[in-house]
Amino acid sequence: ELHLEESGGGLVQPGGSLRLSCTASDFSVKHYAMHWVRQSPDKGLEWVSGISWSGAKKDYADFVKGRFIISRDNAAKSLFLQMSSLRQEDTALYYCVKDTDPGSVSFYYMDVWGKGTMVTVSS
Amino acid sequence: DIQMTQSPSTLSASVGDRVTITCRASHNISTWLAWYQQKQGQAPKLLIYKTSILEREVSSRFSGSGFGTEFTLTINSLQPDDFATYFCQQYESYVTFGQGTKLDIK
């Protein structure tokens, strides 16, 4: 059974940067798109960004465009999210999530979720 | 952007009840809709995809229906383990989640 484990969260000041990482337990993830989804009490679940299996296609929610960069390293079974110009409203639990359609460049539904890493943006 | 609106936000029911949660899309999403269950302190769990297809090992007490802009999740014969928060998600264009429906014990 595939497991995903996020790391890199923490407390950061507004305007600061943080890099989230996600490591998968096996190489099956290399065939699938991957996502970052965040959750906060006031905004619920929000899709943040997704990347195709090859890394060729990357998409972002409007509220992070120009500030966050998603990337992946299939050889290392890893997904990343470089976050900069952080705002208080970026405070949330960030989940690494696996998509379900192998080899597709489109995004679908999600079947494997990590436990999340908490990002707190505060002065 | 496609917006997803769930109703109700909170639903109180008893063990054995049948409940229905509605999800409305701001644009036609055909049948590109999934449902998730989230228990306190846990990550969401996939229940249903493509509107009505049950994920493996999900109880047949769960069912989904709909097309276009209106969708429902129905849970028959509620069990204690079903009290949780439920989210819909569209994947017709990018990804958007509904705001969630909390199902609690009456």
Side-chain angles (χ1 to χ4, degrees):
Chain A
E1 183 183 345
L2 176 68
H3 293 281
L4 302 172
E5 184 171 358
E6 304 91 341
S7 60
L11 174 63
V12 61
Q13 291 189 337
S17 298
L18 214 52
R19 187 186 194 224
L20 305 185
S21 299
C22 169
T23 303
S25 59
D26 64 61
F27 282 103
S28 63
V29 291
K30 69 180 182 180
H31 302 293
Y32 297 89
M34 296 290 290
H35 305 269
W36 288 99
V37 175
R38 70 187 188 186
Q39 186 171 31
S40 60
D42 55 339
K43 294 184 180 176
L45 284 174
E46 295 183 299
W47 176 77
V48 173
S49 181
I51 185 169
S52 63
W53 67 274
S54 66
K57 175 182 172 178
K58 303 174 185 181
D59 283 309
Y60 301 90
D62 285 345
F63 52 79
V64 304
K65 271 181 189 171
R67 300 189 298 125
F68 290 10
I69 298 173
I70 191 171
S71 61
R72 67 189 297 165
D73 180 349
N74 286 337
K77 301 176 290 181
S78 295
L79 176 72
F80 306 99
L81 186 68
Q82 179 66 47
M83 305 187 295
S84 58
S85 301
L86 282 161
R87 306 166 180 166
Q88 286 189 328
E89 54 264 38
D90 295 318
T91 295
L93 183 65
Y94 284 72
Y95 290 106
C96 168
V97 192
K98 172 188 159 290
D99 203 285
T100 47
D101 194 15
S104 174
V105 295
S106 296
F107 299 142
Y108 291 87
Y109 54 97
M110 306 165 192
D111 62 349
V112 181
W113 296 63
K115 294 184 178 180
T117 186
M118 187 67 201
V119 172
T120 303
V121 185
S122 175
S123 54
Chain B
D1 289 6
I2 298 176
Q3 310 301 318
M4 306 300 292
T5 304
Q6 284 183 237
S7 60
S9 297
T10 306
L11 180 57
S12 297
S14 302
V15 172
D17 284 354
R18 177 176 186 257
V19 297
T20 297
I21 298 169
T22 297
C23 182
R24 289 186 172 86
S26 62
H27 297 77
N28 184 347
I29 60 169
S30 183
T31 56
W32 303 116
L33 186 99
W35 289 96
Y36 300 84
Q37 176 194 65
Q38 185 177 33
K39 297 179 182 177
Q40 192 67 31
Q42 297 183 19
K45 171 191 169 186
L46 176 65
L47 294 177
I48 287 172
Y49 59 94
K50 209 164 185 298
T51 296
S52 60
I53 302 175
L54 254 59
E55 174 70 336
R56 286 171 299 170
E57 299 182 5
V58 170
S59 170
S60 58
R61 296 181 297 98
F62 292 88
S63 63
S65 64
F67 181 86
T69 60
E70 187 150 338
F71 302 85
T72 58
L73 171 70
T74 299
I75 313 172
N76 288 303
S77 186
L78 273 174
Q79 299 300 301
D81 194 48
D82 299 336
F83 292 95
T85 300
Y86 293 85
F87 295 91
C88 61
Q89 175 227 324
Q90 70 80 20
Y91 50 102
E92 198 283 330
S93 174
Y94 299 98
V95 170
T96 319
F97 292 92
Q99 81 278 18
T101 295
K102 184 177 181 181
L103 175 59
D104 61 24
I105 299 176
K106 188 184 291 183

